[in-house]
Amino acid sequence: MAHMTSRALTVGFDLDMTLIDSRPGIHACYRALSARTGTYIDADLAITRLGPPLADELVHWFPAEQVEAMADVYREMYPTHAIAPTPAMAGAREAIAAVRAAGGRAIVVTAKYEPNAKLHLSHLGIDADAVIGGLWAEGKAEALREYGSAVYVGDHTGDVRGARSADALSVAVATGPCDADELRAAGADVVLKDLTEFPGWLAGHRGARR
């Protein structure tokens, strides 16, 4: 159907553990926050549960009434500690290039504080058509709908819920805290080992839609 192909394909990507391996940077930032505040934070544990909003992690280490203030301190320290040590995930650049090669737009929708998300992408030379931060799980549907995303790629069951809430195809990569079985059980339409499999999947998906 002509009207289907005339609309540019828009693919949304999550950031942490989907496009970037944010564990080394976040680990360094939690250690710095711990040193600055004198509060014990198990950085090794914290980086095993990335995806949800920062406050969901900080509440394990700080009294509830301090969480908002500590989140501000963390975000302020983040550019100094977390950007340089953070690499791109295998296949991240190629996945975005594949969307562009198909005539589409690639956007990033993340729970991360938006200015810091943009710093990661510019540091790594990953050029997204839009970056929308501060959205988690079903909240991601807001940006996915606004940009008309047909596909959302993420690594967490929260990303699957976001895709489904936006009526987008949920493509999950088993590179984060959730394994393939967990992602399937949450309702992912497609589960890939990592983003290196994405260009091949996209080519097949585009072919099937013609």
Side-chain angles (χ1 to χ4, degrees), residues 10-23:
T10 300
V11 178
F13 290 89
D14 175 48
L15 185 65
D16 285 8
M17 304 312 299
T18 299
L19 287 174
I20 65 172
D21 183 350
S22 49
R23 289 172 299 187

Side-chain angles (χ1 to χ4, degrees), residues 6-167:
S6 64
R7 184 170 150 224
L9 168 76
T10 300
V11 178
F13 290 89
D14 175 48
L15 185 65
D16 285 8
M17 304 312 299
T18 299
L19 287 174
I20 65 172
D21 183 350
S22 49
R23 289 172 299 187
I26 288 176
H27 191 279
C29 199
Y30 277 130
R31 290 192 53 144
L33 181 65
S34 177
R36 179 158 159 183
T37 59
T39 299
Y40 173 73
I41 298 171
D42 186 341
D44 293 339
L45 176 61
I47 61 167
T48 65
R49 42 192 189 200
L50 299 182
L54 176 61
D56 289 21
E57 182 61 43
L58 293 178
V59 79
H60 293 293
W61 313 109
F62 294 97
E65 66 274 9
Q66 288 181 25
V67 164
E68 202 175 322
M70 287 303 111
D72 288 343
V73 174
Y74 174 96
R75 288 178 181 130
E76 173 202 317
M77 297 171 77
Y78 192 95
T80 306
H81 296 279
I83 304 298
T86 298
M89 291 296 252
R93 292 183 181 87
E94 295 81 357
I96 296 212
V99 174
R100 296 267 169 73
R105 297 186 305 165
I107 67 168
V108 174
V109 182
T110 173
K112 193 179 286 300
Y113 179 57
E114 193 172 297
N116 289 341
K118 289 177 173 172
L119 285 176
H120 275 299
L121 295 167
S122 64
H123 176 75
L124 294 168
I126 295 173
D127 180 28
D129 292 288
V131 180
I132 306 96
L135 298 176
W136 165 240
E138 288 81 358
K140 293 187 173 194
E142 180 190 319
L144 296 173
R145 285 183 188 281
E146 183 189 336
Y147 285 88
S149 297
V151 177
Y152 185 58
V153 185
D155 64 281
H156 197 285
T157 53
D159 299 325
V160 177
R161 299 204 307 273
R164 297 191 75 81
S165 298
D167 295 322

